[in-house]
Amino acid sequence: MSTLPPCPNCNSEYTYEDGLMLICPECAHEWSAAASAHTAGDDDKVIKDAVGNTLQDGDTITVIKDLKVKGSSLVVKVGTKVKGIRLVDGDHDIDCKIDGIGAMKLKSEFVRKV
């Protein structure tokens, strides 16, 4: 059984090593074996709430601070429960839908996992 990573271009499992390079025989993509080993653990970004609990997609959260909705007179009140969150990259790392307000992006520092 090969311990080489699959091709990042086409996900073929038939990669082989040629010196310091890894090569995919199906799409002819070549990449560095050292770069492949270095980036393997970088994909796992952990997002935590205000008290340090790890958040995951689909979690239910509670807002811990009154949040003004930009461009509107609406306010997301303390204690508002939000179900089925989705984690995204960026400054506002939570995508969600809040009843009565609609789609929102929230920062994880202003929420707590239920």
Side-chain angles (χ1 to χ4, degrees):
M1 182 88 191
S2 175
T3 60
L4 296 175
C7 175
N9 200 26
C10 69
N11 277 338
S12 171
E13 60 185 32
Y14 302 111
T15 58
Y16 64 92
E17 210 167 7
D18 185 21
L20 297 176
M21 300 294 288
L22 295 174
I23 301 171
C24 175
E26 292 184 6
C27 71
H29 180 69
E30 297 181 8
W31 69 100
S32 169
S36 176
H38 178 62
T39 59
D42 293 344
D43 296 338
D44 299 332
K45 181 180 176 190
V46 176
I47 297 176
K48 297 189 176 196
D49 67 0
V51 294
N53 297 322
T54 303
L55 296 173
Q56 296 178 348
D57 286 343
D59 281 345
T60 300
I61 58 173
T62 302
V63 178
I64 62 167
K65 176 183 176 183
D66 281 348
L67 302 173
K68 294 180 183 177
V69 178
K70 192 172 187 176
S72 171
S73 62
L74 298 173
V75 175
V76 179
K77 297 286 189 180
V78 172
T80 302
K81 279 192 177 179
V82 181
K83 297 178 182 178
I85 65 169
R86 189 169 55 105
L87 302 178
V88 295
D89 291 333
D91 185 32
H92 293 74
D93 42 18
I94 299 173
D95 268 350
C96 62
K97 189 172 182 181
I98 300 175
D99 293 337
I101 296 176
M104 294 276 304
K105 289 191 174 217
L106 299 173
K107 291 186 177 184
S108 59
E109 62 196 60
F110 299 122
V111 300
R112 180 176 50 87
K113 187 174 181 178
V114 175

